[in-house]
Amino acid sequence: MKKEFSLPEFILTDNELSPSTRLIFAYVYNKIGSKGYTTITNRELSKIFDVSIATISQKISELRRNGYIETDIIYAGDSKQILERRIYSTV
């Protein structure tokens, strides 16, 4: 079964974002659940969009710079081990 996702009009018309960044935002935006965030990783996104992890990292940074998302990194206790990254939509 194919899943559909929507591309918000404000993203579609934002010419500051590249077309691929718009699609990545739409995917992330539609993955945000009842908790208000998604924990999808750059690795998962890179497989879905068939691009490098570095490219995904740049796109996520672009979305953050343009105010479309915020991210939180959750660490294990007092260590620097990352448990998860949470991506929140700000729109």
Side-chain angles (χ1 to χ4, degrees), residues 31-64:
K31 285 299 220 180
I32 293 173
S34 60
K35 293 182 180 181
Y37 62 86
T38 181
T39 58
I40 195 164
T41 66
N42 288 359
R43 182 177 310 280
E44 290 170 303
L45 289 168
S46 73
K47 289 179 182 177
I48 291 164
F49 289 96
D50 195 27
V51 296
S52 70
I53 294 172
T55 296
I56 295 296
S57 181
Q58 292 168 352
K59 303 302 183 184
I60 294 294
S61 293
E62 183 180 352
L63 289 167
R64 199 172 35 244

Side-chain angles (χ1 to χ4, degrees), residues 2-85:
K2 292 183 181 181
K3 293 186 179 184
E4 296 180 11
F5 66 92
S6 61
L7 181 62
E9 187 174 352
F10 59 85
I11 289 292
L12 184 63
T13 59
D14 186 344
N15 293 324
E16 296 294 315
L17 301 177
S18 68
S20 60
T21 302
R22 293 177 204 172
L23 287 175
I24 290 168
F25 174 81
Y27 190 84
V28 168
Y29 182 80
N30 284 275
K31 285 299 220 180
I32 293 173
S34 60
K35 293 182 180 181
Y37 62 86
T38 181
T39 58
I40 195 164
T41 66
N42 288 359
R43 182 177 310 280
E44 290 170 303
L45 289 168
S46 73
K47 289 179 182 177
I48 291 164
F49 289 96
D50 195 27
V51 296
S52 70
I53 294 172
T55 296
I56 295 296
S57 181
Q58 292 168 352
K59 303 302 183 184
I60 294 294
S61 293
E62 183 180 352
L63 289 167
R64 199 172 35 244
R65 269 193 318 276
N66 283 283
Y68 287 110
I69 63 169
E70 291 180 359
T71 58
D72 281 335
I73 305 297
I74 308 302
Y75 295 97
D78 292 332
S79 74
K80 295 199 183 273
Q81 179 186 358
I82 296 174
L83 291 178
E84 68 183 15
R85 175 191 62 191

